[in-house]
Amino acid sequence: MIEKIKALLDETAHLLASNTEELEALRIKYLSKKGLIAALMDDFRNVPSDQKREVGMMLNELKQQTQDKILSLKEQFENTNTGHAETDLSRTAYPIPLGTRHPLSIVKEEICDIFKRLGFSIAEGPEIEDDWHVFSSLNFAEDHPARDMQDTFFIQSNPEVVLRTHTSSVQTRVMERTQPPIRIICPGRVYRNEAISYRAHCFFHQVEALYVDKDVSFADLKQALLFFAKEMFGENTKIRLRPSYFPFTEPSAEMDISCNICGGEGCPFCKYTGWVEILGCGMVDPNVLENCGIDSKIYSGYALGMGIERITNLKYQVKDLRMFSENDKRFLEEFQSAH
Ligand code: DAH
C-alpha cells in the first residue's frame, strides 16, 4: 500500500495536461469516485492498525497534492485562454502602443473638411481607368505628351486601360451621371511613370474639386481658393494666381501662396521668392462639359486640383517624398500629436 501511495505521489507531482479535456481526464483518473485515490481510500480498511496512522497521513497528502496540482493546471488554462488571470495590482502598467494616422491621411481629411464647409461632398472613382475618363473626355489632344508611355502606366494587354494620372478623371465620371448643381471633392491616389527620388514618386495623392452650376464665375473660384488657403495655412496667408495651361480648363491658372515657412520674406524653401505653388485650377472648358452631357450654354464651372504630398510638405516640411511610403515607424510616430 505504502509503495503504491509513494508511486502515486511521485506520479501526480508531475502531472501535465495540454488542454482542458486532458485535464478533466486526469481529474477523473485520480480524483473521481471511481478514481485511483478513492480506490486506495477503500483499501484503507485493510491496512493493519499499526500502520493506519502513517498510511492515513500519506493518503491525505496524496489527495491534497493531486487536488492542488489539478487546480493549478486549471488556473494555467484559464490564464492563457480567457485572460481572467488573477489581477496583480502591484504590477506596473505596460504601455499599449497606439497607432498613428498617416500624415497624408491627416492632411487629406483637413483639405476635405475645408471644402465640406463650403458645401462640397466627397466623390471617388477607380484608380484603374480608361483613356476616355483620364484623357479624352478632358480635352487632351491625341498627341498630348501626358499620353506618352513615359508618363502614364498602361495596362500592357490593353492600351485603353491606364492607371489614372490625376483625379480629374473623377470629374468626368461624376458629370456623366449627374446634372448640375455639382459640388464635389475627389481625394485619391494617382500614378505616373516617374523615376523615384526625394521629390518624385510613381504614385502620389491628389484632391480634385469641381463646382458646376448656372453662373459660376472665376470670382467664385478665387473666393473658394482664398478661403481654402487661409483655413489651411492661416489667416495671414496670401494667394496669387498665375496664368497657366491645362487642356480641361479655360482660362487656367496656377495658385501660389505666400511662403508659410518664411511668411513671404524669402527662404530656401520658396527659393527666395516668398511664394510657393500649391495647385492648378481654372474654369471647366465648355468641351469638357459637353463631353459629359452638360449644356455649356446654361452651365459653367470651376475645377482645381492639388497634390496632397505637396500640401503636407508645406505643413510639416517633409523633405523626402519617399518617407510617405516607407512605413518607418519613427517617421509616422512624429505625427502622434497631429489630430
Ligand atoms: N489634373 C492636374 C494635374 O494633375 C491638376 C489640375 C489642374 C486639376 C487644373 C484641375 C485643374 O481640376 O482645374 O496636374
Side-chain angles (χ1 to χ4, degrees):
M1 179 89 171
I2 290 180
E3 287 314 307
K4 270 192 195 164
I5 298 175
K6 277 192 178 154
L8 276 179
L9 269 171
D10 189 48
E11 194 175 314
T12 55
H14 301 101
L15 291 185
L16 282 178
S18 52
N19 54 45
T20 41
E21 283 91 290
E22 280 182 32
L23 184 64
E24 177 62 2
L26 289 178
R27 191 193 65 77
I28 290 168
K29 179 176 175 191
Y30 294 104
L31 292 173
S32 69
K33 277 192 189 139
K34 292 190 176 150
L36 292 175
I37 294 177
L40 285 176
M41 295 283 189
D42 276 345
D43 260 2
F44 186 67
R45 294 182 260 124
N46 308 324
V47 174
S49 47
D50 60 333
Q51 289 182 18
K52 269 204 160 64
R53 195 179 128 80
E54 188 191 359
V55 173
M57 276 169 39
M58 286 179 76
L59 265 179
N60 280 341
E61 190 194 336
L62 174 64
K63 192 172 176 190
Q64 192 62 46
Q65 175 184 299
T66 312
Q67 280 172 344
D68 288 352
K69 184 72 192 174
I70 287 192
L71 196 69
S72 79
L73 286 172
K74 192 171 165 212
E75 269 170 6
Q76 182 189 317
F77 287 129
E78 279 171 353
N79 287 355
T80 48
N81 290 347
T82 63
H84 294 317
E86 218 175 279
T87 310
D88 175 2
L89 296 176
S90 65
R91 198 174 70 182
T92 48
Y94 49 85
I96 300 169
L98 262 190
T100 52
R101 288 204 301 151
H102 194 280
L104 294 177
S105 302
I106 296 171
V107 171
K108 175 187 80 182
E109 268 167 46
E110 213 176 329
I111 298 170
C112 290
D113 279 349
I114 295 171
F115 280 96
K116 279 190 207 160
R117 277 181 255 145
L118 288 175
F120 286 72
S121 50
I122 307 266
E124 281 175 325
E127 291 177 16
I128 301 174
E129 261 292 6
D130 50 39
D131 178 277
W132 169 254
H133 289 98
V134 179
F135 298 124
S136 299
S137 65
L138 289 164
N139 221 17
F140 279 81
E142 272 308 316
D143 56 356
H144 193 285
R147 290 174 180 243
D148 204 302
M149 290 289 270
Q150 243 81 85
D151 297 309
T152 305
F153 287 116
F154 290 83
I155 305 289
Q156 217 166 21
S157 54
N158 184 352
E160 281 297 302
V161 183
V162 302
L163 295 183
R164 68 179 178 194
T165 55
H166 54 180
T167 43
S168 304
S169 56
V170 188
Q171 278 190 31
T172 44
R173 285 213 167 256
V174 172
M175 283 196 279
E176 278 172 343
R177 57 170 192 253
T178 331
Q179 279 299 306
I182 295 170
R183 221 192 291 227
I184 50 158
I185 30 166
C186 327
R189 181 173 290 176
V190 300
Y191 301 83
R192 286 187 200 174
N193 195 355
E194 303 260 8
I196 298 171
S197 72
Y198 74 98
R199 61 196 186 100
H201 211 296
C202 58
F203 66 80
F204 55 100
H205 302 79
Q206 289 187 331
V207 175
E208 182 88 9
L210 172 74
Y211 177 33
V212 185
D213 203 347
K214 287 177 184 151
D215 302 323
V216 177
S217 72
F218 203 92
D220 296 320
L221 168 62
K222 202 174 158 194
Q223 203 52 40
L225 291 172
L226 183 63
F227 178 79
F228 168 73
K230 284 177 181 267
E231 291 288 296
M232 193 75 205
F233 296 104
E235 187 53 32
N236 295 327
T237 310
K238 295 187 187 60
I239 64 168
R240 149 176 116 167
L241 291 168
R242 281 179 291 105
S244 183
Y245 172 77
F246 300 102
F248 37 92
T249 43
E250 180 59 37
S252 305
E254 274 167 327
M255 181 173 96
D256 300 339
I257 57 164
S258 48
C259 177
N260 72 320
I261 290 164
C262 63
E265 297 286 304
C267 69
F269 193 82
C270 60
K271 302 200 186 77
Y272 300 96
T273 62
W275 297 95
V276 281
E277 184 203 317
I278 65 163
L279 55 79
C281 59
M283 300 306 291
V284 181
D285 192 300
N287 285 343
V288 176
L289 295 175
E290 296 292 338
N291 282 342
C292 302
I294 292 175
D295 190 338
S296 63
K297 285 184 227 50
I298 305 177
Y299 295 108
S300 56
Y302 67 67
L304 59 101
M306 67 187 102
I308 302 180
E309 277 81 353
R310 175 121 189 100
I311 307 285
T312 311
N313 283 351
L314 274 171
K315 280 217 96 157
Y316 297 112
Q317 282 107 60
V318 179
K319 300 226 165 54
D320 188 335
L321 263 184
R322 291 170 291 198
M323 300 188 87
F324 290 126
S325 48
E326 275 169 356
N327 280 339
D328 185 332
K329 273 181 74 191
R330 291 166 302 180
F331 170 68
L332 297 174
E333 275 162 7
E334 286 186 31
F335 299 88
Q336 203 127 35
S337 57
H339 58 110

